[in-house]
Amino acid sequence: MLILGIESSCDETGVALVEAAGAGVPALRAHALHSQIQMHQAYGGVVPELASRDHIRRVLPLTEQVLAEAGRGLPDLDVVAYTRGPGLAGALLVGAGVACALGAALDKPVLGVHHLEGHLLSPFLSADPPEFPFVALLVSGGHTQLMRVDGVGRYQLLGETIDDAAGEAFDKSAKLLGLGYPGGPALSRLAEQGDPAAFKLPRPLLHSGDLDFSFAGLKTAVMTQARKLGDALEARKADLAASTQAAIVDVLVKKSLAALQESGLRRLVVAGGVGANRELRQQLDAACARRGVRVHYPELSLCTDNGAMIAMAAAMRLQAGVQQARRAYAFDVQPRWPLDALVAGRSLSSP
Ligand code: KG4
Ligand code: ZN
């Protein structure tokens, strides 16, 4: 079964081909990505209308590219999968519209995928895929969650952020320091030259006794510190970046360990854009190695948004029988798809 996956929820157009045979882990045949980062950089953040227009320009050439790379043609497709939500409405509509148009033209069924489930299952695309059950730390630009994952569609929310996401904390702090968009990679690059112990920044909810996060106070602390430094900020920027990253990573690591302890599981999966952070990977690897816990990450290139994770999630949902692909081409996207739809496998059905 050959599945085309289209991701267009935000500022990357991703298209990929995944092939599933029997019950084995589906295999990635080809994937292609166009990042809009350069285009949005001039505005300091994503401009939704520009994002949609660019997705329109990219999605068909990228589709042709992956088919050519895999030596396949449109008639070889069995299912067309797309990101149904959450994300920017106009951007989602481009991927959904193209997927449904292809499905209708080829008389092939389509399947709408939850973007976060794509991230969650993206480590199955790696050379060393995890096995169920595991604890998942999902850290993206919009979400920070710890989940217990017992199988495809069997997700239990253990804790989540009560305000900003970890990626948001990176992005907003980076903006305060005058670093570019997207802030996470820029801040972590600068942090490599700084002292993580230079400034004492808050680690909110670290000892709250639950598995929730709060990052909104961190950006205020970074802003206060930056103001205090005044003219000296420029010379201490790397130290402040390193201290900010240390605060975020510290909380993510400690809460992940607490989730492992509470659930009694010995396997951790990290997914979402912040999962690309080198310091987070090093700290998690060290802490988990001491406890005999295996950690799985997606390939670095598949941490941030991409089409491969969407095709993979579709393949795994079909394999597990938790969702059917349908010849229903209504492309009703869900920009604010409630998170609890992803939890406990409820209502993640196609339109
Ligand atoms: O998963 P993703 O690509 O998009 C969403 O679904 O949100 O995550 C994007 C987020 C952004 O906040 C970005 O700054 C952050 O991931 N990010 C990083 C790194 N690479 C991406 N944060 C810290 N360190 C990185 N290396
Ligand atoms: Zn994402």
Side-chain angles (χ1 to χ4, degrees), residues 9-12 115-116 119 139-143 166-168 170-171 182-185 188 245 272-278 303-305:
S9 67
C10 190
D11 55 354
E12 335 260 9
H115 180 83
L116 288 183
H119 278 302
V139 272
S140 70
H143 298 90
E168 236 173 322
F170 270 106
D171 293 339
S188 64
Q245 175 172 266
V274 181
N277 186 269
R278 201 190 301 175
C303 268
T304 44
D305 295 347

Side-chain angles (χ1 to χ4, degrees), residues 331-343:
F331 59 99
D332 61 341
V333 296
Q334 298 260 38
R336 291 188 175 277
W337 205 345
L339 286 174
D340 65 359
L342 192 67
V343 174

Side-chain angles (χ1 to χ4, degrees), residues 42-304:
Y43 306 92
V46 179
V47 184
E49 178 63 23
L50 294 184
S52 312
R53 292 184 208 173
D54 202 57
H55 286 308
I56 291 173
R57 278 194 288 271
R58 308 289 175 180
V59 68
L60 284 176
L62 289 175
T63 302
E64 282 166 3
Q65 189 181 324
V66 294
L67 285 168
E69 255 171 50
R72 308 291 183 94
L74 283 174
D76 297 327
L77 298 179
D78 295 300
V79 174
V80 185
Y82 60 94
T83 305
R84 188 180 166 204
L88 302 169
L92 288 166
L93 279 168
V94 176
V98 169
C100 290
L102 277 176
L106 300 168
D107 189 25
K108 294 290 161 67
V110 297
L111 190 152
V113 171
H114 198 295
H115 180 83
L116 288 183
E117 190 176 35
H119 278 302
L120 191 70
L121 299 176
S122 61
F124 285 91
L125 289 157
S126 73
D128 177 28
E131 278 169 30
F132 298 113
F134 53 77
V135 168
L137 172 68
L138 200 58
V139 272
S140 70
H143 298 90
T144 300
Q145 300 184 322
L146 277 163
M147 289 201 218
R148 182 191 166 103
V149 178
D150 286 293
V152 179
R154 295 169 60 203
Y155 314 129
Q156 187 192 343
L157 189 64
L158 303 174
E160 64 181 333
T161 182
I162 57 169
D163 41 53
D164 288 355
E168 236 173 322
F170 270 106
D171 293 339
K172 288 179 176 172
S173 303
K175 206 166 198 171
L176 288 169
L177 295 180
L179 306 173
Y181 147 87
L187 190 140
S188 64
R189 264 195 308 277
L190 184 61
E192 280 175 26
Q193 302 152 32
D195 173 8
F199 297 98
K200 262 201 156 18
L201 294 173
R203 272 110 169 114
L205 301 190
L206 190 61
H207 303 293
S208 59
D210 58 25
L211 297 172
D212 286 339
F213 303 87
S214 166
F215 290 109
L218 184 61
K219 64 172 185 290
T220 316
V222 173
M223 185 163 62
T224 309
Q225 198 55 253
R227 283 208 183 123
K228 236 194 255 175
L229 285 166
D231 291 343
L233 175 62
E234 208 46 48
R236 305 292 310 279
K237 232 184 208 178
D239 284 344
L240 192 47
S243 302
T244 305
Q245 175 172 266
I248 299 170
V249 167
D250 198 19
V251 177
L252 293 176
V253 171
K254 298 247 164 66
K255 294 270 174 169
S256 299
L257 294 177
L260 286 158
Q261 172 117 28
E262 268 182 34
S263 62
L265 299 178
R266 312 202 64 74
R267 202 180 282 277
L268 178 70
V269 158
V270 183
V274 181
N277 186 269
R278 201 190 301 175
E279 182 65 17
L280 176 66
R281 287 185 173 219
Q282 277 171 1
Q283 300 279 344
L284 274 178
D285 283 346
C288 288
R290 284 196 292 274
R291 289 164 179 77
V293 169
R294 291 273 330 258
V295 196
H296 296 261
Y297 305 94
E299 303 292 337
L300 259 186
S301 61
L302 299 179
C303 268
T304 44

Side-chain angles (χ1 to χ4, degrees), residues 309-351:
M309 68 184 198
I310 300 305
M312 189 65 169
M316 291 182 74
R317 291 186 69 78
L318 289 168
Q319 256 183 346
V322 294
Q323 189 173 347
Q324 313 288 312
R326 297 197 191 155
R327 284 176 173 77
Y329 307 118
F331 59 99
D332 61 341
V333 296
Q334 298 260 38
R336 291 188 175 277
W337 205 345
L339 286 174
D340 65 359
L342 192 67
V343 174
R346 268 180 293 151
S347 69
L348 246 182
S349 55
S350 48

